[in-house]
Amino acid sequence: MIQKVKKEGKYNYIEIGEGTPIVVLHGLMGGLSNFESVATYFSEKGYKIIIPELPIYTQSILKTNVKAFARYVKDFITYKGFERVILLGNSLGGHIALYHTKMYPEKMLGLIITGSSGLYESAMGDSYPRRGDYEYIQKKAEAVFYDPKIATKEIVDEVYAMANDRIKLIKTLTIAKSAIRHNMAKDLPKMFVPTGIIWGENDSVTPPDVAAEFHKLMPNSSLYWIEKCGHAAMMERPDEFNKAMEAWLQKVNL
């Protein structure tokens, strides 16, 4: 990413633009650069985009769960001095954003989720990375996208390195179990924060019926579909994602 990562105390983050704060939460395998298009586009539209590095592999095993990550996000928002924010999350980041919204609704202006876990128990993957099997890892990475070419060698190498790091693998499994344990189905009908749901029509990780279920259960939600698109819409179809997000922001006056 063009922007330099700021390091302040326990927080590492990217910050660009001025205006209403949009805090962006990456997924389990996601990097800050996954949101480069979002950051560039909306920082020029009157928003401050902040993308913190989540402590997915750096906290103790007892704090490696959805609830602890939601608390981390709340502490970060407080540290930055924001009264209320819009949260945008992909995959695990979406689940953390949902849980943060449940715990701290007073901190929320709005919520945007894309390819989010929180409902679908296999959202973290129905099989876990096999150590030492590069071809398997490559196929799993390609399956995240509608167009497998989006899974560059750099992306595959990153997932492969994680799968071969014993501590990271244990923490990945711990997070997967936490995602199942923190199912949001009973909470969603009580969450009235304006919510934009932006989903790839060809998402095989969190299939389209998951988006439809989120929309059905959340009383103040709007659903946007992106054609020929998998699990990471903001990477695979950045222009369409930004248009959908902008349409939602205008609709709810944020």
Side-chain angles (χ1 to χ4, degrees):
M1 198 162 194
I2 305 158
Q3 257 38 55
K4 196 173 174 214
V5 177
K6 294 184 179 180
K7 298 180 185 293
E8 295 173 3
K10 66 176 182 175
Y11 301 114
N12 298 335
Y13 63 97
I14 283 168
E15 183 173 5
I16 176 173
E18 291 299 331
T20 304
I22 300 177
V23 177
V24 181
L25 306 180
H26 61 80
L28 183 61
M29 309 286 181
L32 308 193
S33 61
N34 294 10
F35 292 91
E36 185 155 8
S37 169
V38 169
T40 303
Y41 187 83
F42 286 99
S43 64
E44 294 169 359
K45 298 270 182 181
Y47 295 91
K48 181 189 282 287
I49 310 298
I50 310 99
I51 316 175
E53 276 182 10
L54 296 172
I56 288 171
Y57 298 123
T58 54
Q59 295 202 139
S60 73
I61 205 85
L62 292 174
K63 288 187 176 177
T64 302
N65 59 68
V66 172
K67 189 174 184 179
F69 295 147
R71 280 201 187 115
Y72 180 92
V73 171
K74 188 252 186 186
D75 290 345
F76 177 69
I77 290 168
T78 303
Y79 167 78
K80 286 298 294 173
F82 301 137
E83 281 187 35
R84 295 164 80 203
V85 303
I86 299 164
L87 276 187
L88 160 61
N90 170 241
S91 201
L92 173 67
H95 198 163
I96 295 165
L98 283 159
Y99 210 85
H100 179 280
T101 303
K102 172 195 166 180
M103 290 171 74
Y104 312 107
E106 73 283 358
K107 290 279 179 193
M108 298 295 296
L109 284 170
L111 170 66
I112 305 157
I113 55 172
T114 179
S116 178
S117 57
L119 278 180
Y120 180 51
E121 291 197 355
S122 297
M124 305 297 292
D126 52 7
S127 57
Y128 298 111
R130 291 184 207 158
R131 296 173 80 178
D133 189 340
Y134 190 87
E135 195 178 333
Y136 172 83
I137 299 284
Q138 185 173 359
K139 281 182 182 155
K140 292 296 281 184
E142 287 174 352
V144 168
F145 303 100
Y146 175 77
D147 177 2
K149 290 199 287 295
I150 304 282
T152 60
K153 186 175 184 303
E154 187 184 6
I155 289 170
V156 177
D157 286 350
E158 210 171 296
V159 180
Y160 182 76
M162 184 282 298
N164 285 280
D165 181 320
R166 186 172 160 274
I167 300 298
K168 285 188 176 179
L169 191 56
I170 289 167
K171 289 194 170 180
T172 299
L173 298 176
T174 304
I175 291 164
K177 286 174 185 165
S178 165
I180 293 166
R181 200 166 62 247
H182 291 99
N183 187 286
M184 304 289 297
K186 289 179 181 169
D187 302 306
L188 298 177
K190 297 175 253 181
M191 290 164 58
F192 292 91
V193 169
T195 302
I197 303 166
I198 307 174
W199 225 264
E201 284 187 354
N202 309 92
D203 189 339
S204 61
V205 181
T206 44
D209 58 346
V210 179
E213 188 71 7
F214 271 121
H215 184 41
K216 187 175 103 179
L217 290 172
M218 300 189 82
N220 195 7
S221 65
S222 307
L223 176 56
Y224 301 84
W225 295 108
I226 298 183
E227 293 178 0
K228 296 183 179 174
C229 183
H231 185 58
M234 69 288 166
M235 288 174 72
E236 189 161 16
R237 293 269 180 258
D239 293 346
E240 291 88 338
F241 183 90
N242 290 342
K243 280 176 193 161
M245 183 167 153
E246 188 170 29
W248 177 77
L249 288 165
Q250 287 172 352
K251 180 181 177 182
V252 296
N253 254 345
L254 287 175

